[in-house]
Amino acid sequence: MPLLIAAWIVQAGQIQLPKPVGFVNDFARVITPEVSDRIARIIQDVRAKSGGEIVVVTLADLQGRDPSDVAREIGRQWKVGASGGPGDRTRNTGVIILVVPKETSSDGRGYVRIETGAGAEGFLTDATTGSIQDEAIPALRERDYSGALALMTWRVAERFGREFGFAPDAAFAVEVREAPIS
């Protein structure tokens, strides 16, 4: 009997995620098609030049889950990031950019999280990802989820470029919006 209870608890604790549809997964339906294409091209450029992977995900709700746990679980279940062998610089260089709009979230709060695989932690530290998220706040406040996600993806791409010695394709560069003066 205790084994059955333990199995139920583990199953109940699993996060049910939709299946990925590519590198841009807009399940909350907040990214315009043009920006979705631009984000996908940034990600493809990074992947081609470094072997690293970026996955953008919007969800309508976290159902009471912590955004870090959900982003980490997306990385695990979807196997984001190269799984190269020991010593391979691209090993586990997956990055998840997660946004939950406050308009669709059951608790009325919006969430943003950039979660990194072990191979990306050195060049995408918590401080760095926090700074990238902070830079996107003006767009998020204006409900410009497309702009916020494009900006965060571009900033992550720039970090990949610095780490792996390449310049992200400038054709996909994202202009930074200044916060409105109150």
Side-chain angles (χ1 to χ4, degrees), residues 36-106:
S36 179
D37 183 58
R38 181 186 215 172
I39 292 170
R41 288 175 180 232
I42 293 168
I43 294 168
Q44 290 166 351
D45 184 50
V46 167
R47 192 165 189 234
K49 293 176 179 174
S50 71
E53 289 183 350
I54 304 167
V55 173
V56 171
V57 182
T58 67
L59 296 173
D61 192 29
L62 294 177
Q63 300 175 350
R65 303 271 186 192
D66 181 84
S68 300
D69 293 341
V70 173
R72 196 169 25 260
E73 194 60 29
I74 289 169
R76 287 181 183 142
Q77 287 186 26
W78 294 1
K79 300 182 183 342
V80 177
S83 58
D88 184 348
R89 285 185 68 207
T90 63
R91 185 175 184 176
N92 297 318
T93 55
V95 176
I96 307 296
I97 302 174
L98 172 66
V99 168
V100 178
K102 69 179 182 176
E103 296 81 20
T104 61
S105 182
S106 60

Side-chain angles (χ1 to χ4, degrees), residues 66-157:
D66 181 84
S68 300
D69 293 341
V70 173
R72 196 169 25 260
E73 194 60 29
I74 289 169
R76 287 181 183 142
Q77 287 186 26
W78 294 1
K79 300 182 183 342
V80 177
S83 58
D88 184 348
R89 285 185 68 207
T90 63
R91 185 175 184 176
N92 297 318
T93 55
V95 176
I96 307 296
I97 302 174
L98 172 66
V99 168
V100 178
K102 69 179 182 176
E103 296 81 20
T104 61
S105 182
S106 60
D107 65 4
R109 296 180 58 203
Y111 297 92
V112 61
R113 176 70 185 179
I114 300 174
E115 190 69 33
T116 62
E121 288 177 341
F123 62 94
L124 281 165
T125 64
D126 288 343
T128 301
T129 59
S131 178
I132 292 169
Q133 292 169 173
D134 288 349
E135 191 176 3
I137 287 175
L140 292 168
R141 283 190 178 137
E142 293 179 20
R143 298 179 183 164
D144 178 11
Y145 298 107
S146 291
L149 286 160
L151 174 63
M152 288 187 284
T153 304
W154 179 252
R155 291 296 186 232
V156 168

